[in-house]
């Protein structure tokens, strides 16, 4: 039986979102898949439960222990809903079979970093300002609003994102004691130098003129 989800349940939620997206990507295209993605896009920026057309995609197989019985979305419902609706926004204009925008191992900070052209300081400042606005939002609704703009930039650049990891982060972000850790992880991923770049740097440094 699924245990009540607490702060440490982010991994469980990430697995749930990963399975939901995998199910969407495996649906027959373009009919049912296209219709579901369109409905999910319409839900972006709204609250979980606000659109009846999305009740099933969010709550089917969603453990009851993760739901809020007090008439407001739970932390888990918010995190899963934002991840699923933004995935649909991201996937628009990209063939789900040939170019799925959900990519395991592509965390948010690293994806945002890929928006910055090499050696373009002005672009880095602009992108980083957007990223910081998202990361300093207090309420999850504010995070969602800023994140939607970032996802639209990722879509334009054809840059995928790990939506299971995003759900993990968004869930933890709603715990005051965990916010700093999530922000640090985003920053680390943004500034982390890829291994291949490190290898190239070390090779160059080892060469003699």
């Amino acid at each position: 039986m699924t245990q009540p989800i607490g702060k440490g349940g982010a991994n469980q939620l990430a697995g749930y979102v990963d399975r939901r997206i995998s199910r969407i990507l495996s649906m027959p295209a373009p009919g049912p898949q296209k219709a579901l993605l369109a409905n999910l896009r319409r839900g972006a920026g709204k609250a979980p439960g606000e659109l009846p057309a999305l009740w099933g995609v969010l709550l089917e197989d969603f453990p009851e222990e993760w739901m809020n019985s007090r008439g407001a979305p739970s932390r888990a419902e918010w995190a899963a809903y934002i991840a699923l609706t933004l995935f649909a926004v991201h996937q628009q204009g990209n063939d789900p079979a040939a170019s799925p925008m959900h990519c395991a191992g592509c965390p948010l900070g690293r994806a945002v970093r890929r928006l910055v052209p090499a050696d373009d300081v002005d672009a880095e400042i602009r992108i980083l300002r957007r990223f910081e606005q998202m990361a300093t939002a207090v309420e999850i609704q504010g995070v969602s609003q800023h994140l939607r703009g970032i996802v639209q930039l990722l879509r334009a650049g054809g840059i995928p994102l790990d939506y299971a990891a995003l759900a993990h982060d968004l869930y933890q972000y709603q715990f005051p004691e965990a916010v700093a850790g999530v922000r640090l992880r985003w920053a680390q991923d943004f500034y982390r130098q890829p291994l291949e770049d490190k290898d190239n740097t070390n090779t160059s440094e080892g060469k003699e003129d």
Side-chain angles (χ1 to χ4, degrees), residues 57-206:
V57 69
L58 175 65
L59 298 175
E60 183 182 8
D61 301 326
F62 199 81
E64 186 176 354
E65 295 87 350
W66 298 2
M67 299 178 187
N68 189 345
S69 60
R70 297 188 296 274
S74 67
R75 294 182 176 98
E77 287 168 325
W78 265 116
Y81 181 83
I82 292 171
L84 291 171
T85 54
L86 290 184
F87 161 71
V89 170
H90 199 166
Q91 194 62 57
Q92 187 177 24
N94 294 286
D95 181 357
S99 302
M101 289 294 106
H102 169 50
C103 171
C106 303
L108 180 61
R110 193 179 308 166
V112 173
R113 182 70 197 190
R114 290 182 60 190
L115 289 169
V116 182
D119 302 321
D120 190 333
V121 176
D122 290 338
E124 180 171 348
I125 291 172
R126 290 194 302 272
I127 296 299
L128 193 54
R129 185 181 297 121
R130 277 178 171 264
F131 200 19
E132 290 172 348
Q133 288 173 339
M134 183 212 71
T136 53
V138 177
E139 301 294 336
I140 193 64
Q141 295 93 326
V143 175
S144 174
Q145 179 181 353
H146 290 296
L147 189 54
R148 184 179 183 181
I150 290 174
V151 165
Q152 288 169 335
L153 293 177
L154 295 175
R155 180 182 67 194
I159 300 169
L161 177 62
D162 189 333
Y163 279 91
L166 179 65
H168 175 286
D169 291 347
L170 292 175
Y171 178 71
Q172 287 196 329
Y173 196 92
Q174 297 172 80
F175 292 88
E177 66 273 23
V179 171
V182 175
R183 288 172 176 161
L184 177 60
R185 183 160 59 247
W186 289 342
Q188 289 171 335
D189 287 335
F190 183 86
Y191 286 105
R192 182 175 285 119
Q193 188 178 9
L195 276 177
E196 58 268 24
D197 289 351
K198 290 182 181 179
D199 291 342
N200 293 336
T201 301
N202 293 336
T203 302
S204 299
E205 290 175 352

